[in-house]
Amino acid sequence: LQAGAITNKGTVYMQQGNYPEALESYLQSLKIYEEQNNKHGLSASYGNMAIIYSYQNDFERALDYFRKASELDRQLNNLPGVAENLTNMGSLFSRTEKFDTALIYFNGALQINTSLKDEYSLTNVLGNISQVYMNAGKLDSAFKYCEITYKYAVKTGNVPYQANAVFNL
């Protein structure tokens, strides 16, 4: 409970844009989870820290923490967590214009989310894939994935993704 409360405090700091305090809170909760050997908590802490480093454009450190979180999620057989971390890693590579690598991570998340029949997460990953193709100038592929994203967004009632897909189309 204490680690969870500290994590919540870190999330508030993160939402306020106070990244040093958020990171400090996540490090405090990480220490507690390590003492308890709580792999679920460790994974969440690593993921939160990765997000902070991503916001600070420290992509190497963010990638390292997303990988740590993903490895723990694999050990725990937490497939939604693995897929989320793969998506986050794909986003890092997309932001640094390493489009082929981004697609490898996004496609890994796509496979997991497909097997889980997680249509909401599929919408997110498909939208990311379409964006990579647009940024890479591969407009035929971008168009195809925008159409698929739109269909899933309608199916799941995800209005922001519907709007984004229409805008991109």
Side-chain angles (χ1 to χ4, degrees):
L1 290 175
Q2 181 183 15
I6 294 169
T7 296
N8 289 341
K9 184 170 80 171
T11 301
V12 170
Y13 283 131
M14 180 174 60
Q15 291 172 346
Q16 293 173 338
N18 187 344
Y19 301 138
E21 288 295 328
L23 192 57
E24 179 59 34
S25 294
Y26 293 145
L27 285 168
Q28 288 174 11
S29 65
L30 179 72
K31 184 176 179 184
I32 294 168
Y33 288 133
E34 284 174 339
E35 290 169 359
Q36 298 172 342
N37 195 30
N38 180 333
K39 290 183 179 181
H40 290 282
L42 286 170
S43 173
S45 292
Y46 287 145
N48 288 331
M49 291 168 64
I51 290 167
I52 295 295
Y53 287 123
S54 172
Y55 288 164
Q56 295 177 321
N57 296 320
D58 188 343
F59 298 123
E60 239 177 86
R61 201 176 256 170
L63 186 61
D64 182 50
Y65 279 102
F66 279 134
R67 284 183 174 143
K68 287 179 180 182
S70 185
E71 178 56 36
L72 285 172
D73 285 334
R74 284 184 199 282
Q75 290 174 19
L76 295 166
N77 200 32
N78 176 10
L79 294 179
V82 173
E84 181 180 356
N85 285 304
L86 290 172
T87 300
N88 287 329
M89 288 186 274
S91 294
L92 289 177
F93 285 108
S94 180
R95 286 174 61 190
T96 57
E97 297 184 354
K98 295 178 182 170
F99 300 127
D100 291 338
T101 305
L103 287 172
I104 291 169
Y105 284 95
F106 287 142
N107 282 315
L110 184 66
Q111 287 179 338
I112 292 170
N113 288 324
T114 299
S115 72
L116 295 172
K117 297 180 173 68
D118 182 349
E119 293 177 342
Y120 188 84
S121 294
L122 276 170
T123 306
N124 178 35
V125 174
L126 290 163
N128 281 311
I129 291 172
S130 69
Q131 193 67 48
V132 166
Y133 282 126
M134 277 195 298
N135 292 340
K138 297 179 179 179
L139 300 183
D140 288 342
S141 295
F143 186 81
K144 171 185 157 188
Y145 279 94
C146 277
E147 285 184 313
I148 297 168
T149 301
Y150 180 75
K151 288 176 186 174
Y152 274 99
V154 168
K155 190 174 184 180
T156 60
N158 189 331
V159 175
Y161 271 86
Q162 288 176 39
N164 192 51
V166 168
F167 175 79
N168 287 336
L169 285 168

